[in-house]
């Protein structure tokens, strides 16, 4: 099995199952043109996130890590009328590209792109009583996943669904002594999740056009609840 084969199979499914979508395609194009890294979720992963949001009937979404807004558009389109999505991005250039892409998708009244370090904007959301969110997608820098998970629990209610991207990292996640802060961030998060009584979860490994990686899927339970301040 090679990465080329994973990519071809991924393309087969996206070509067969995902209708051509000029808005999403131009969002990726605009991101490349602006020099953003090509690390958005893949089309099939975007659809997976959208379907999760639809199945759960979510009305409010928090995304941590916007980049050019590709996953943002997939998720925001799952929201019915009155739905809201807040997405957090530290890089003003990424946020600017995302805002243009969101506007082209006619989602500017649904999506708020907040610029700032999520370690600062998450407590702000809590102070503004912006929660609880129905779905939280954690996809920013990986060394801070443990902190993002803690803040996300505070912005949750029983039943909140969380998805955490990139938790397998080509298998590096099992390297106990890894010197990679991203790996250590994921490992601390997995430990939190395994010992946290207020949430339960699992990890699904993935292969495809983004190589070998995976998503953690978390359901917030009764013990963890939204609290202001
Ligand atoms: N969710 C996007 C990809 C996000 S890539 C998609 O699938 O389309 C990760 C993003 O997180 C980058 O844009 C990066 O600038 C941002 N990021 C990194 N550290 C951050 C931080 N501390 N606070 C907020 N955003 C951060
Ligand atoms: C990276 C970040 C991501 O969110 C992703 O999906 C893939 C790679 C990265 O920082 O390398
Ligand atoms: Mg990611």
């Amino acid at each position: 099995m090679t990465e080329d084969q994973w990519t071809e199979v991924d393309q087969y499914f996206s070509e067969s199952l995902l209708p051509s979508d000029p808005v999403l395609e131009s969002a990726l194009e605009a991101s490349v043109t602006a020099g953003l890294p090509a690390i958005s979720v893949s089309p099939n992963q975007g659809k997976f996130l959208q379907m999760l949001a639809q199945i759960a009937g979510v009305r409010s979404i928090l995304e941590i890590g916007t980049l050019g807004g590709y996953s943002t558009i997939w998720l925001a389109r799952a929201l019915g009328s009155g739905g809201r999505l807040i997405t957090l991005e530290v890089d003003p250039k990424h946020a600017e590209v995302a805002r243009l892409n969101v506007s082209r998708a006619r989602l500017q009244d649904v999506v708020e792109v907040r610029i700032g370090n999520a370690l600062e904007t998450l407590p702000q959301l809590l102070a503004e009583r912006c929660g609880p969110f129905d779905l939280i997608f954690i996809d920013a820098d990986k060394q801070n996943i443990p902190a993002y998970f803690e803040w996300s629990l505070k912005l949750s209610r029983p039943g909140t669904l969380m998805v955490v991207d990139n938790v397998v990292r080509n298998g590096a996640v099992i390297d106990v002594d890894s010197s990679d802060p991203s790996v250590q961030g994921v490992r601390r998060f997995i430990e939190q999740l395994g010992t946290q009584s207020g949430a339960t979860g699992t990890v699904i490994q993935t292969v495809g056009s983004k190589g070998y990686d995976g998503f953690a899927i978390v359901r917030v339970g009764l013990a963890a609840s939204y609290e202001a301040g």
Side-chain angles (χ1 to χ4, degrees):
M1 281 285 172
T2 65
E3 195 148 338
D4 283 351
Q5 189 171 19
W6 300 340
T7 301
E8 277 180 44
V9 173
D10 212 359
Q11 275 165 5
Y12 164 66
F13 289 128
S14 57
E15 280 160 15
S16 307
L17 303 177
L18 312 184
S20 141
D21 192 316
V23 166
L24 284 168
E25 282 151 28
S26 71
L28 285 183
E29 253 173 55
S31 301
V32 170
T33 304
L36 271 49
I39 56 174
S40 308
V41 293
S42 69
N44 283 309
Q45 290 173 342
K47 174 116 182 226
F48 171 72
L49 291 173
Q50 181 176 82
M51 289 179 67
L52 274 184
Q54 285 165 339
I55 292 162
V58 311
R59 297 174 51 81
S60 61
I61 300 175
L62 172 62
E63 177 178 65
I64 308 171
T66 314
L67 194 65
Y70 183 75
S71 55
T72 313
I73 293 170
W74 274 109
L75 283 166
R77 282 174 167 179
L79 291 165
S81 67
R84 292 280 295 151
L85 186 153
I86 297 178
T87 182
L88 309 180
E89 175 54 56
V90 71
D91 188 321
K93 183 177 144 189
H94 296 186
E96 188 193 335
V97 173
R99 281 179 181 150
L100 285 169
N101 284 334
V102 162
S103 293
R104 260 196 298 269
R106 299 178 189 271
L107 290 164
Q108 68 278 358
D109 297 334
V110 177
V111 172
E112 179 191 344
V113 183
R114 280 208 187 195
I115 302 177
N117 186 333
L119 293 173
E120 286 159 25
T121 49
L122 284 164
Q124 279 167 18
L125 289 181
L126 200 64
E128 289 170 29
R129 296 169 179 267
C130 272
F133 293 91
D134 298 330
L135 175 82
I136 303 179
F137 179 45
I138 300 180
D139 191 23
D141 55 315
K142 312 307 169 191
Q143 70 263 36
N144 285 315
I145 292 176
Y148 299 150
F149 179 55
E150 292 286 352
W151 285 110
S152 295
L153 285 171
K154 292 184 203 288
L155 289 160
S156 292
R157 55 162 176 82
T160 290
L161 179 63
M162 292 185 207
V163 179
V164 185
D165 197 20
N166 312 116
V167 298
V168 174
R169 315 205 60 84
N170 207 26
V173 68
I174 60 170
D175 182 359
V176 181
D177 300 318
S178 174
S179 58
D180 181 345
S182 298
V183 170
Q184 289 305 338
V186 170
R187 288 186 61 86
R188 273 186 291 124
F189 157 64
I190 295 297
E191 189 186 339
Q192 283 173 319
L193 181 58
T195 54
Q196 162 71 245
S197 60
T200 183
T202 190
V203 170
I204 298 297
Q205 302 183 69
T206 57
V207 294
S209 60
K210 293 198 71 192
Y212 168 35
D213 215 325
F215 290 115
I217 311 284
V218 177
R219 185 182 185 278
V220 177
L222 282 169
S225 66
Y226 170 68
E227 48 190 21

